[in-house]
Structures are given as structure tokens and as C-alpha cells.
Amino acid sequence: MVAGPLKNRSFRKQAGLTNRWQFPFSPSCDLLGISQANKATRVGLNETLMRMISEAAPVSPICLSLSPPSDVTLECLGFQWELHRMYFFKSQVLSQLLARLLNSRKSKELLKQKKTMPRVTIALEVNDPDVTRFAFAVALKNLYNSELEVNEEDVLGVLATAEMWGLDCITVQNTGLPYQQPTLITECERWIEVNLVAQLGSQIHLRQLPLELLQKVIRSPRLFTFNEFHLLRTALCWVFLQQNPKIQIIPSYDTVLTYFSSLPKICAFLEREVGQRYIAIFQSLRLHGITSSKHLEELWEINFLPLPWLTRILSDHYHALENGGDMVFQRDFNTQAVRFGLVLTQEPRYHSEIISIYGFFFEIKAVKHDASAYSFYMQRVKHADPIISFFTAERSPVSLKETREVKYEIKAQCQIDGKWEEFTTKRLTQRFGVKKPSCKSMVLKACIPSVPIYVTFSLLFPTS
């Protein structure tokens, strides 16, 4: 009898303090193996990192002294950083780049043949002058180690690198507290103010935001949000993550609604013992700025806000509509103006959105004129204008008033040379008509060399 070829056999491989049978190929879904390898290779990186970023060292391939052997080469800033793909999940940017490479035809063929995961090289171009080799190395340490030390003079570079990678700035912020680094704490809080809704609202890192910091950020005059409802959604998602600590991925908004809707209807969530600690957060929101009937119906159905709160919101809307848009109960512009926002990240050169409030429609605009010149303004739009979608017009009340007095402010926030800058029209009062030139607001012009740019339009309808 002639024996057939031997099949690949399992072999025992040491992983951490335990042995387990493993195959001669390492699928990326082997989470237990990755976890054990992670624990087995957890070592300090301070000395290694210092060698990596030494200005006197020649630009040559660099290898982290870790086991198992590195399987990803990251080419960036003139260095070849030898890394391990198991840590890439901490960075949205790096994990997406790696996923694209591994989904290539060649990589799929290797996996079908049950060979080892292919070694890959990723090239990353950095255009931000704040991202130095030292900052890059410290950010790499954050991929491998949950305990991160940052010197005060390196704060901006580390934050710039973290933002570029989509890393968790909250971790950096929390790390700065024990070392009493006020600059680090301030810079991280500033980053969270503009990115709470724009980025953190869709990341699992949102869970790590402390309650006190979330409340402080929500009350900040520099807070950016697309509208008041988006801020509410972010707050609801944060509470959901606090109540469900085992959830490992950011939930969809429908999942959050389903969760709160499934709770006993004895009383609203914020009136329950478990929910009372969150009351101050929702008291800080501008709930009167949520005017969409669809969104108000959702708030009613999930039984989250106390009934007196919902009654007050609906009562305010009723009085405003009955009085031609006058916001009788909202008079403090700093804390009660309704906010709408745009984020400019790249082309196109022209960006606009339609907003509606109490039967009045406005188009908020951002125009890029050349490499660094921008204009921001808004203008009133007739309810019958073709630019307004059928759905928006159908779901929104319509005011036939020819003019409407509006208090408003247009503000743009961005980073220039590593520092946050703010451009603003200051607070203005204008009577908006439906024809030119009365339909157009003051134009905010700014010279901004790089994106992202966070633009906020704040509106309040005074008693006329």
C-alpha cells in the first residue's frame, strides 16, 4: 500500500502562560490567540522609542524589539516602522489601510492556500508639520501600551498624530491628569469640543468620556454640532454605552432607541434611580432646538425624558408657531441659540445645506475661493424654492411672513500652526426678507490654510 501525502497537522505553540492547539496559519479572527500573544509581549517601549526618534540616528529600517516578529512595515517620515497588525484595530486609519491590502487578490489566494498571513508594507504620507518623528513614536507606543506618558512640550505633536490616525484622544486626556499637565488637558478638551459629535459620536471610545468632562464640553460655547438633535443622539449613545459596558462596537441609533424603548414604562429613564445621575447632562442640552416632528415623536416613544420636559418642549414650539416664530422663552443667546454646523474636510469648493426652524428656511453656505480663502454666510429661502426638498417642505411648518428678525452669529474654528483659531461675525441682528439683498446675512471671510474647518451658525428669533 502506498501512503498518500501527509496533511498539515496541528502543532502546539506557546502563547502567554497557556498552551493551546493552533494551526500552521494564523487567521485574523483568532481573537484568543491574539489576546494571549498580546499579554505575552507586553513590554516597556521607552528606551526603544528613544532610539527610534534620535535625531542623530540615520534614516534606516527600525524594528520594535517585540515577540512575535513584526508582520507590517509602515513607511512614514523617512522611517520604516516594523509593527504588528494585531494592534492596528486601535487606529481607524491604519486598520482601514491594512484591510484594503489584505483584501487584495494576492492576499486572498494565500489565505485559500492556508499559508501564513502575508507580510505587508503600508506607505503613509504625512503633511502636518506638527507630526514629528518623536510624536509619531509616542503615538505608536499608544497602539501597544495603554499607559502613555506625554511631555508637555510634545502635546501638540502627539494630538496631531492621534487625530490623523483616528486614535482615542480621550485616553491621552485621561493620561494627562495624573501628571498634572494643564496644557495637555486643555488641548484634549479643546479637541473634544469640536469632535464630540463629528467624530467621537461614531466611535466606541465615546464610552471612556467621563461624565464630568462630557457635561463640561456640552456647556462649552465652542462646542460643535451639526444640529441640536445630533448632540442629543450623541448623549443618548453615551448613556447606552454606560449602561451596556460589554458592548464592543458603537451601536446604531436604532439600537439605542430599541434599548430605551424596551425598558419598563413605569417612569421615564431619567426619573429612575439608574438614570438620575445623567440628568445634569440633558439639562445642559438645548432641547428646544429639536423641532422636527419625527425627532420629537422618537423622544416621546423611547420614554427617556421626564414628561414635564417633553410638555415644555412642545409648549415652547406651539407658542413660537402661534407668534410667527418668536422664541418667547429663549432669550439668552449664549446658552439658548439654536446651532447648525458644517464640517469642511476637502473638496468640493462649495458646500451648502438647508435648515428650517419654525416655518422659516435658510441655506447655510461655505465657499472656498482659492487655496486658503473661505467665505461663510446664510440666506433665507422661500418655502416654495426648488432647492428645498419635497420631504423637508412636507414635514416642516411654513411661515408666510415676508420678514423675520433674527439674532445670529457665524463662527469658524480650525487649527493653524498647531493652535486653535476662531473666526466670528460676533452677534448680529438682522431682519431677513425673501428677496435680495435682505435675504443674505453678513459674510464671514477667513484665511485658513488647512482643513478640517468647523463652521457653526447660531440663530435666535427674538420677540418682534
Side-chain angles (χ1 to χ4, degrees):
M1 176 180 288
V2 178
L6 292 175
K7 296 183 179 180
N8 289 336
R9 300 182 61 186
S10 300
F11 65 97
R12 190 173 289 278
K13 181 179 179 180
Q14 183 75 26
L17 300 178
T18 63
N19 282 327
R20 57 188 294 266
W21 286 104
Q22 296 182 346
F23 294 100
F25 57 90
S26 178
S28 59
C29 60
D30 185 10
L31 300 181
L32 178 57
I34 288 175
S35 175
Q36 291 173 333
N38 184 5
K39 293 178 181 178
T41 60
R42 193 171 294 161
V43 297
L45 298 176
N46 285 336
E47 295 181 2
T48 303
L49 287 174
M50 291 307 296
R51 291 197 301 270
M52 292 163 67
I53 49 80
S54 174
E55 294 297 333
V59 177
S60 58
I62 308 295
C63 181
L64 294 174
S65 300
L66 293 174
S67 176
S70 61
D71 51 13
V72 179
T73 299
L74 178 62
E75 295 181 350
C76 186
L77 298 174
F79 273 27
Q80 290 183 337
W81 312 79
E82 303 295 337
L83 306 171
H84 302 77
R85 72 188 63 193
M86 69 177 70
Y87 299 101
F88 274 37
F89 75 93
K90 290 187 177 181
S91 164
Q92 285 186 328
V93 174
L94 295 181
S95 59
Q96 289 173 3
L97 289 173
L98 179 61
R100 293 192 193 108
L101 285 175
L102 295 181
N103 284 332
S104 66
R105 180 179 302 177
K106 182 178 180 181
S107 297
K108 289 181 178 179
E109 290 175 354
L110 287 172
L111 289 175
K112 288 180 180 178
Q113 298 171 14
K114 294 187 177 181
K115 293 184 178 180
T116 58
M117 291 287 285
R119 181 183 179 85
V120 296
T121 299
I122 298 176
L124 184 62
E125 184 178 352
V126 176
N127 297 319
D128 191 337
D130 290 321
V131 180
T132 63
R133 289 178 181 173
F134 184 91
F136 202 83
V138 174
L140 283 180
K141 180 181 177 181
N142 191 34
L143 290 178
Y144 283 80
N145 199 339
S146 60
E147 297 181 359
L148 179 62
E149 295 184 30
V150 182
N151 293 325
E152 189 164 339
E153 61 269 20
D154 304 314
V155 166
L156 294 180
V158 174
L159 289 180
T161 308
E163 183 171 2
M164 177 186 70
W165 284 0
L167 292 174
D168 179 13
C169 185
I170 300 176
T171 299
V172 181
Q173 196 271 350
N174 289 338
T175 304
L177 292 175
Y179 300 100
Q180 296 300 311
Q181 297 179 349
T183 302
L184 173 61
I185 297 172
T186 300
E187 287 296 324
C188 279
E189 288 182 357
R190 191 70 176 87
W191 184 91
I192 295 172
E193 286 171 348
V194 295
N195 286 288
L196 174 64
V197 175
Q199 290 196 41
L200 287 179
S202 58
Q203 296 178 5
I204 194 63
H205 303 308
L206 177 67
R207 165 189 287 137
Q208 301 173 21
L209 197 61
L211 185 149
E212 295 78 11
L213 179 57
L214 175 61
Q215 185 174 338
K216 180 180 180 180
V217 168
I218 287 177
R219 291 178 174 177
S220 170
R222 296 180 296 269
L223 173 73
F224 171 85
T225 182
F226 297 106
N227 53 51
E228 303 303 337
F229 178 69
H230 269 82
L231 182 57
L232 171 67
R233 282 181 55 167
T234 302
L236 287 173
C237 184
W238 181 85
V239 173
F240 173 88
L241 292 174
Q242 305 308 305
Q243 297 302 116
N244 299 273
K246 294 184 179 181
I247 296 292
Q248 297 302 314
I249 58 174
I250 196 75
S252 67
Y253 179 58
D254 288 340
T255 300
V256 175
L257 291 182
T258 301
Y259 170 77
F260 288 116
S261 299
S262 67
L263 298 178
K265 300 296 189 293
I266 301 175
C267 61
F269 178 82
L270 290 184
E271 294 176 318
R272 300 174 59 178
E273 183 177 355
V274 69
Q276 290 180 6
R277 63 189 298 258
Y278 306 123
I279 287 180
I281 290 176
F282 291 86
Q283 287 177 330
S284 303
L285 300 180
R286 304 180 187 185
L287 298 174
H288 60 274
I290 302 174
T291 59
S292 165
S293 58
K294 178 178 181 296
H295 297 157
L296 291 172
E297 289 168 3
E298 291 174 352
L299 281 181
W300 188 276
E301 291 172 358
I302 65 173
N303 195 34
F304 185 90
L305 300 177
L307 182 59
W309 293 29
L310 292 171
T311 303
R312 178 61 184 269
I313 295 171
L314 296 177
S315 176
D316 286 1
H317 292 345
Y318 174 80
H319 282 92
L321 291 172
E322 282 290 303
N323 292 278
D326 291 355
M327 297 169 65
V328 179
F329 302 106
Q330 285 80 43
R331 299 180 180 179
D332 185 353
F333 188 91
N334 292 330
T335 61
Q336 296 179 316
V338 181
R339 298 162 294 189
F340 301 89
L342 302 173
V343 178
L344 281 65
T345 55
Q346 53 186 3
E347 301 293 348
R349 304 174 67 90
Y350 178 88
H351 191 94
S352 70
E353 288 187 13
I354 297 294
I355 62 174
S356 64
I357 179 169
Y358 298 133
F360 296 89
F361 297 89
F362 294 86
E363 183 180 15
I364 55 178
K365 293 186 175 184
V367 181
K368 183 178 180 181
H369 301 286
D370 54 37
S372 59
Y374 291 85
S375 293
F376 312 102
Y377 63 96
M378 67 180 186
Q379 63 183 23
R380 187 178 169 190
V381 181
K382 293 181 180 179
H383 69 276
D385 195 296
I387 198 173
I388 301 176
S389 69
F390 174 78
F391 176 80
T392 301
E394 184 183 44
R395 297 283 295 186
S396 300
V398 173
S399 176
L400 301 179
K401 291 188 66 173
E402 288 291 325
T403 62
R404 171 70 254 179
E405 187 176 65
V406 181
K407 288 184 179 180
Y408 70 94
E409 179 183 23
I410 304 173
K411 178 168 57 181
Q413 301 179 77
C414 60
Q415 276 191 314
I416 300 178
D417 296 330
K419 295 183 179 180
W420 284 99
E421 301 288 347
E422 192 173 284
F423 304 88
T424 177
T425 60
K426 300 295 184 181
R427 190 184 314 170
L428 301 170
T429 300
Q430 177 180 332
R431 185 166 289 276
F432 281 84
V434 293
K435 298 180 181 179
K436 294 182 178 180
S438 65
C439 67
K440 187 174 181 179
S441 74
M442 178 181 176
V443 178
L444 173 62
K445 297 180 179 180
C447 183
I448 303 175
S450 62
V451 294
I453 306 171
Y454 303 83
V455 190
T456 300
F457 299 79
S458 302
L459 291 78
L460 189 70
F461 293 171
T463 302
S464 57

